[in-house]
């Protein structure tokens, strides 16, 4: 059975949503692992003089510490956090930009924003003249909360059929992390496959050159195989 991972950032209970998504994916041969960050938990609160509100800095610290080192297929972020000054648009905007800047594994995820208050989402975006910024963030889609149990399984199945050669290659290297390269690409000779995977993940210059080298070797091998049949 294939495994897929999602992260959900919400201010409420999403367990039933996760259970329904999990059930649908199992029918497709996919096992779901869902991490949930509830921004309404007491450790993420502060007092602003009038009452308890969400402390965005604490949320940032938690995301960096716990979730940045992980690779997710999809990250979902609720748009509205009740009457709190913070909203999910600010969270997902920071999340995408910071993950890219830090080259966190999480940056490769598909990002989804969702809400049960679509009109409120539209009003916030247009009132803040943030539409262009939203497009630049490359958020994959905006979903109605009530349709998550249909849309997320459909998206995961579709994503599973697509090939991201880079992530696929990293995954293959991580299957045998302690294997040591002895020949091939000189800068990586003596390195373990997990270290090579990290170089590719971090988009280092050597990691990029290694991938180019592999493409050239693959092409040469294909040509050589076909020449044997001529």
């Amino acid at each position: 059975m294939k495994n897929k991972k999602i992260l959900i950032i919400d201010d409420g209970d999403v367990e039933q949503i996760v259970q329904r998504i999990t059930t649908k994916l199992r029918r497709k041969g996919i096992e779901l692992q869902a991490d949930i960050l509830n921004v309404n938990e007491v450790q993420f609160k502060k007092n602003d003089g009038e009452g308890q509100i969400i402390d965005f800095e604490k949320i940032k610290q938690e995301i960096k510490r716990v979730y940045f080192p992980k690779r997710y297929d999809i990250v979902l972020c609720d748009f509205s956090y009740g009457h709190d000054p913070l909203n999910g648009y600010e969270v997902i905007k920071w999340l995408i930009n910071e993950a890219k800047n830090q080259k966190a594994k999480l940056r490769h995820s598909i990002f989804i924003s969702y809400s049960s208050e679509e009109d409120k989402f539209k009003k916030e975006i247009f009132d803040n003249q943030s539409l262009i910024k939203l497009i630049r963030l490359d958020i994959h889609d905006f979903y109605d909360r009530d349709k998550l149990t249909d849309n997320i399984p459909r998206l995961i199945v579709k994503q599973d059929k697509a090939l991201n050669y880079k992530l696929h290659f990293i995954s293959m290297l991580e299957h045998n992390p302690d294997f040591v390269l002895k020949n091939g690409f000189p800068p990586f000779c003596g390195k373990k496959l997990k270290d090579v995977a990290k170089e590719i993940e971090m988009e280092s210059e050597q990691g990029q050159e290694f991938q180019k080298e592999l493409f050239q070797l693959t092409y040469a091998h294909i040509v050589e195989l076909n020449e044997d049949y001529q």
Side-chain angles (χ1 to χ4, degrees), residues 7 36-39 41 43-44 55-70 72 94-95 106:
L7 169 64
I36 301 169
L37 172 60
N38 187 336
V39 299
E41 291 182 357
Q43 66 263 34
F44 303 129
D55 189 332
F56 194 13
E57 291 305 313
K58 291 180 180 178
I59 297 296
K60 291 177 181 179
Q61 291 171 14
E62 183 75 359
I63 291 174
K64 283 183 177 181
R65 182 180 68 85
V66 179
Y67 304 107
F68 267 23
K70 299 180 181 181
Y72 293 96
W94 170 84
L95 178 58
L106 179 143

Side-chain angles (χ1 to χ4, degrees), residues 30-201:
I30 297 173
E31 188 65 35
L32 182 70
Q33 178 186 333
D35 288 346
I36 301 169
L37 172 60
N38 187 336
V39 299
N40 223 13
E41 291 182 357
V42 65
Q43 66 263 34
F44 303 129
K45 293 298 188 77
K46 68 178 180 180
N47 198 311
D48 70 343
E50 296 182 2
Q52 294 288 306
I53 64 171
I54 298 171
D55 189 332
F56 194 13
E57 291 305 313
K58 291 180 180 178
I59 297 296
K60 291 177 181 179
Q61 291 171 14
E62 183 75 359
I63 291 174
K64 283 183 177 181
R65 182 180 68 85
V66 179
Y67 304 107
F68 267 23
K70 299 180 181 181
R71 190 178 296 118
Y72 293 96
D73 296 282
I74 300 175
V75 174
L76 301 106
C77 188
D78 186 18
F79 172 74
S80 179
Y81 301 145
H83 298 293
D84 199 276
L86 181 67
N87 63 47
Y89 170 63
E90 294 300 322
V91 173
I92 202 167
K93 180 172 66 174
W94 170 84
L95 178 58
I96 293 174
N97 288 330
E98 189 67 15
K100 288 179 179 177
N101 290 338
Q102 297 293 326
K103 293 187 177 179
K105 289 184 177 181
L106 179 143
R107 75 187 187 281
H108 297 298
S109 311
I110 290 176
F111 292 90
I112 301 288
S113 185
Y114 66 91
S115 178
S116 58
E117 303 174 287
E118 186 172 349
D119 291 341
K120 187 175 180 180
F121 172 80
K122 292 177 180 177
K123 183 177 184 298
E124 177 73 19
I125 295 302
F126 286 111
D127 283 356
N128 287 342
Q129 298 182 343
S130 300
L131 184 59
I132 293 177
K133 291 181 180 179
L134 181 67
I135 293 171
R136 287 176 179 168
L137 282 177
D138 197 25
I139 293 178
H140 180 78
D141 212 335
F142 176 86
Y143 290 157
D144 186 310
R145 185 188 188 93
D146 294 334
K147 296 179 180 178
L148 286 178
T149 54
D150 292 324
N151 289 335
I152 296 305
R154 189 180 300 121
L155 178 59
I156 289 177
V157 170
K158 180 180 179 181
Q159 182 192 22
D160 183 59
K161 294 178 180 178
L163 175 63
N164 183 319
Y165 81 89
K166 180 178 175 180
L167 294 183
H168 182 67
F169 185 46
I170 290 173
S171 178
M172 291 177 67
L173 293 174
E174 291 175 341
H175 275 305
N176 195 2
D178 293 321
F179 182 85
V180 178
L181 288 178
K182 297 178 181 178
N183 291 297
F185 187 65
F188 285 168
C189 285
K191 283 185 176 288
K192 294 182 178 180
L193 292 188
K194 63 182 178 183
D195 298 320
V196 175
K198 186 175 181 180
E199 292 283 343
I200 296 172
E201 181 82 58

